[in-house]
Amino acid sequence: MASATSSTVDTAAGGGGIHLPDTPRDLVKILVTGPFGVGKTTLIGSVSEIRPLHTEEQLTEASAQVDDLAGVRDKSTTTVAIDFGRISLRGGIVLYLFGTPGQERFRSLWDDIAHGALGALVLVDARRIDASFDVLGLVEESGLPYAVAFNTFPDAPRHHSPEQLRAALDLEPTTPMVTCDAREADSSIDSLLALVQHLIDHRPAEHR
């Protein structure tokens, strides 16, 4: 959604508060998903207007035997259940953000976490694009509409064109693909807005 900006965040209604105002709203469950170490916890923490819920545990020597640490050697914790945050947008839309674990060993949680979601934001690390294939497969099998956001790590390659990245992930032409810095609220919000616009555009006209 090229025209979307983070200015559509509703900082006056709900921003920074614990409880939502008693006004009619569209409450939308969104998955924030992607492979291990891609920045899901960071993104939710950067945008949530409430104190985010994290279920992180320290990585151990035992988990290092089953979790692929290639490209994320400095990572010391991992999400073992969900991350959760909330953000209010203009127009009465409130996004409930559910971050999923990124490792294959937590795949059994996927159906429970995805239940009731309207869409997914899939974070991708351009340094290890192949690590995203399994998660994209899960999202597509679930039938959820989704957008892809390339998290801009400092040492990520910059020479790939958008067309090359889209081809590498085998994305449909209509699937939104953006870049973001998960550490920055405005950048992360713009990625979520790209997904929200995608969901609106693909809803039946009578329900928009």
Side-chain angles (χ1 to χ4, degrees):
M1 185 175 66
S3 61
T5 69
S6 54
S7 63
T8 56
V9 176
D10 194 347
T11 56
I18 297 175
H19 303 290
L20 288 173
D22 294 327
T23 54
R25 290 175 176 268
D26 290 320
L27 308 181
V28 181
K29 179 178 180 180
I30 296 295
L31 296 187
V32 178
T33 190
F36 176 60
V38 77
K40 302 179 293 293
T41 298
T42 300
L43 184 144
I44 290 175
S46 74
V47 302
S48 181
E49 64 195 13
I50 60 173
R51 182 177 179 180
L53 168 67
H54 299 306
T55 55
E56 287 198 309
E57 295 292 342
Q58 289 292 320
L59 287 169
T60 65
E61 290 185 10
S63 66
Q65 303 303 313
V66 294
D67 295 330
D68 184 4
L69 299 180
V72 288
R73 290 291 176 184
D74 294 334
K75 187 170 175 59
S76 61
T77 62
T78 183
T79 298
V80 296
I82 62 168
D83 293 314
F84 174 77
R86 186 191 79 200
I87 182 171
S88 299
L89 306 178
R90 299 276 183 202
I93 299 174
V94 178
L95 304 184
Y96 289 106
L97 307 176
F98 287 76
T100 69
Q103 299 98 307
E104 176 66 23
R105 59 194 171 102
F106 294 117
R107 183 167 183 166
S108 59
L109 296 174
W110 173 265
D111 288 341
D112 290 335
I113 298 174
H115 181 72
L118 290 190
L121 180 67
V122 182
L123 290 183
V124 175
D125 183 347
R127 302 170 301 177
R128 47 194 184 97
I129 289 177
D130 57 344
S132 302
F133 294 161
D134 287 344
V135 173
L136 282 168
L138 278 175
V139 175
E140 291 176 351
E141 287 173 15
S142 72
L144 288 175
Y146 65 94
V148 169
F150 280 86
N151 194 8
T152 53
F153 290 93
D155 58 341
R158 311 289 181 181
H159 57 277
H160 298 307
S161 69
E163 293 76 17
Q164 289 173 320
L165 294 173
R166 186 175 290 274
L169 293 174
D170 195 24
L171 299 180
E172 295 289 337
T174 56
T175 301
M177 190 184 73
V178 298
T179 60
C180 78
D181 185 336
R183 302 167 299 179
E184 299 292 334
D186 285 352
S187 181
S188 298
I189 289 167
D190 286 343
S191 297
L192 290 166
L193 289 173
L195 171 61
V196 170
Q197 187 63 56
H198 183 56
L199 297 178
I200 292 172
D201 291 344
H202 287 78
R203 290 186 73 184
E206 64 271 20
H207 296 305
R208 290 180 185 172

